Amino acid sequence: MPLLSLYDSAADSVDMLNIEQVVSTAGDGILKDDSVCALEIREYFSKISTEKIALYIDHCLSVSFNRSGLVLQDLVNELGRRLDYRVTNGRYQGVQGQVGFDGLWLSPEQHTLIVEVKTTDAYRISLDALSNYRSKLSEQSKITSQSSILIIVGRQDTGELEAQIRGSRHAWDIRVISAEALIKLVLLKENTESDETGLKMRSLLTPIEYTRLDRMVDVMFTTAVDLEDDSELSHQAVEGASTTDLPSASAPSVLKQKIAAKSAWEFTDSQLLQAKREDMVKALARFESTNLIRKSRALYWNTEHSVRAACTVSKRYTGKNQAPYWYAYHPQWDAFLGEVDKGYFVLGCMDRSTAFAIPHKTISKLLPLLNTTDKNPRGTYWHIHLVEQASGLAIAVPKGEPISLKPFEIVLARFDGTQKHVNAPAES
């Protein structure tokens, strides 16, 4: 059975296979340029989690098998896509008259990385050849005016390669990163939310002058702030706190200080929040008959980027005159969902087996009628409060009538993996 058909019908069975077995089920099982096997394996990689990709990379580096280097090349290129690069896969084998490269990664900032993937640095790399590739690609207008070379090595011990680069005339055009470090960068990005954080992370892969360390510190600080500024922990999972009580995202240590100072605040464990969110994503993916992978902490999309979701979770509040569930809706989420016809704002409730997949067209109509918070270092966001009615939960609309969520309800799978029926979210 072809890999993609098997994955669509029995994903759990494919999940149990090692990467060698996965490749053998793709096409005719022979990985080569322009083959069905290559097309299927690359599409499969685009559907699975980054954690699974990391396991496959580890297998490629730990176990020698036929064409493991080619598999590694495709896995690494998929990591580039998850850092928001537009990736062109290189050929597995060089062809006379064509420029050889393992991948071309074009960033949203219009910087091109010419990527070279190596399982080990045991053999010297011709830096002149890589530089010539770059020059030829520039002559053919296949790369942007800003470009550099990134060598991704399977092993962490890259001392000899680093010394080779430092002692060459290409020192300012080439950088090196291990596959493990690249995986860590992708996982870190998937647990952040700000677009600026992704930009800072991508800047690490381009040549940086390290005499002055401000740029490196800026990258670390931006990422730390983004990780700490979890809207569900700092805004939604706080019992009885007003928005004016909440810690500023501009100071990473403030949140912990306020937690210690206000012991009455009750937080929902981040792992439980994420488990609920993954359950919501699976339910929406089943309804849309697609796979959704994580773009950031709250944002998900399919391989074609045509189905998108912003998923957020609330605990239940029991305070006096308090809405039982409430959320923040951010402008960057609205922009992300608004770029496609099938964009959903998905609301989860920690104590309920259902969620609500609200089409972007519906939520966008409500925004002028909702309250906002403007004095936030991370920008304006809208308040989404749910209220209980005889017919079920509804969105409270301060400048209008409540909007019933019944048409948008989806039933979740249990955490033990048992699937339930999923209703179709309606549009209005």
Side-chain angles (χ1 to χ4, degrees):
M1 180 182 292
L3 173 61
L4 297 179
S5 298
L6 178 61
Y7 183 71
D8 289 340
S9 61
D12 291 343
S13 297
V14 178
D15 192 56
M16 297 174 64
L17 304 177
N18 63 36
I19 186 57
E20 299 172 62
Q21 294 168 324
V22 169
V23 173
S24 69
T25 65
D28 61 2
I30 301 175
L31 196 58
K32 58 184 179 181
D33 287 309
D34 304 318
S35 66
V36 174
C37 181
L39 291 173
E40 283 207 353
I41 201 70
R42 289 169 181 172
E43 185 173 347
Y44 168 70
F45 289 160
S46 73
K47 295 175 179 287
I48 61 177
S49 69
T50 299
E51 289 82 0
K52 192 66 177 179
I53 288 175
L55 291 175
Y56 288 156
I57 288 177
D58 182 67
H59 188 89
C60 289
L61 297 174
S62 303
V63 180
S64 179
F65 63 93
N66 186 34
R67 299 182 181 267
S68 59
L70 308 186
V71 178
L72 179 65
Q73 179 177 316
D74 284 341
L75 288 165
V76 166
N77 277 325
E78 180 56 33
L79 292 178
R81 292 185 178 92
R82 299 190 183 198
L83 288 172
D84 291 336
Y85 287 95
R86 193 166 72 225
V87 175
T88 301
N89 289 81
R91 296 185 63 84
Y92 296 132
Q93 294 182 320
V95 174
Q96 188 173 4
Q98 293 190 23
V99 180
F101 57 84
D102 291 340
L104 292 181
W105 296 8
L106 175 62
S107 75
E109 300 78 42
Q110 297 302 298
H111 184 104
T112 305
L113 295 178
I114 297 96
V115 171
E116 184 77 8
V117 182
K118 298 293 183 184
T119 56
T120 176
D121 71 339
Y123 306 99
R124 288 185 68 86
I125 297 174
S126 174
L127 302 181
D128 287 338
L130 293 180
S131 182
N132 288 337
Y133 290 164
R134 182 186 177 204
S135 298
K136 291 179 181 178
L137 288 167
S138 179
E139 292 171 2
Q140 297 172 6
S141 299
K142 291 185 177 180
I143 59 176
T144 52
S145 58
Q146 292 184 322
S147 65
S148 57
I149 297 166
L150 180 65
I151 302 175
I152 301 169
V153 182
R155 313 298 177 189
Q156 283 190 318
D157 184 10
T158 59
E160 289 189 16
L161 178 57
E162 293 171 48
Q164 181 186 351
I165 293 170
R166 281 195 297 268
S168 76
R169 60 190 177 91
H170 307 294
W172 288 107
D173 299 322
I174 300 176
R175 287 296 177 264
V176 179
I177 189 171
S178 69
E180 181 177 348
L182 188 64
I183 291 167
K184 289 178 180 177
L185 200 61
V186 174
L187 291 172
L188 188 60
K189 177 187 174 294
E190 290 180 349
N191 283 283
T192 60
E193 202 58 57
S194 171
D195 290 340
E196 183 184 3
T197 304
L199 185 154
K200 299 288 187 183
M201 289 180 177
R202 287 187 295 273
S203 74
L204 292 174
L205 303 182
T206 60
I208 301 174
E209 202 282 306
Y210 287 106
T211 303
R212 180 169 177 171
L213 300 177
D214 293 42
R215 185 175 174 188
M216 181 65 74
V217 172
D218 190 32
V219 172
M220 293 187 291
F221 182 79
T222 302
T223 305
V225 169
D226 196 7
L227 285 170
E228 188 116 11
D229 184 36
D230 186 329
S231 60
E232 287 158 341
L233 291 178
S234 63
H235 297 296
Q236 299 163 17
V238 180
E239 179 71 41
S242 68
T243 54
T244 55
D245 291 329
L246 296 172
S248 166
S250 61
S253 62
V254 173
L255 179 57
K256 294 177 182 177
Q257 294 171 1
K258 289 225 173 186
I259 291 171
K262 294 201 173 188
S263 57
W265 287 9
E266 296 179 10
F267 287 79
T268 303
D269 185 275
S270 60
Q271 291 184 343
L272 295 178
L273 287 168
Q274 188 57 32
K276 174 65 76 170
R277 185 173 6 237
E278 293 292 342
D279 211 31
M280 293 154 55
V281 169
K282 289 177 182 177
L284 180 62
R286 286 197 302 273
F287 163 67
E288 285 290 349
S289 300
T290 189
N291 290 90
L292 296 172
I293 59 174
R294 192 192 301 185
K295 173 178 168 60
S296 65
R297 182 172 55 225
L299 302 183
Y300 292 75
W301 54 10
N302 63 351
T303 303
E304 298 78 20
H305 300 174
S306 59
V307 178
R308 302 185 181 190
C311 301
T312 185
V313 186
S314 171
K315 63 173 285 184
R316 184 179 180 87
Y317 299 98
T318 56
K320 186 177 180 181
N321 299 323
Q322 192 170 29
Y325 307 97
W326 61 286
Y327 312 81
Y329 183 63
H330 299 276
Q332 64 267 33
W333 295 1
D334 189 63
F336 175 75
L337 299 179
E339 291 175 354
V340 295
D341 291 333
K342 293 186 176 182
Y344 295 95
F345 181 42
V346 188
L347 304 179
C349 308
M350 288 300 296
D351 62 337
R352 298 174 68 95
S353 61
T354 57
F356 306 95
I358 308 169
H360 176 261
K361 292 179 181 178
T362 299
I363 199 68
S364 62
K365 294 177 183 177
L366 290 179
L367 297 184
L369 307 176
L370 300 177
N371 292 332
T372 63
T373 289
D374 301 314
K375 296 179 180 179
N376 184 333
R378 300 308 291 266
T380 298
Y381 62 86
W382 292 273
H383 294 263
I384 307 290
H385 289 198
L386 303 191
V387 294
E388 293 178 317
Q389 298 183 318
S391 60
L393 290 175
I395 296 178
V397 183
K399 305 170 187 177
E401 295 297 319
I403 302 298
S404 173
L405 290 176
K406 190 66 177 178
F408 313 120
E409 188 174 64
I410 55 176
V411 181
L412 307 183
R414 298 175 186 174
F415 287 119
D416 64 5
T418 304
Q419 292 189 359
K420 296 182 179 179
H421 175 70
V422 180
N423 298 323
E427 289 199 21
S428 64

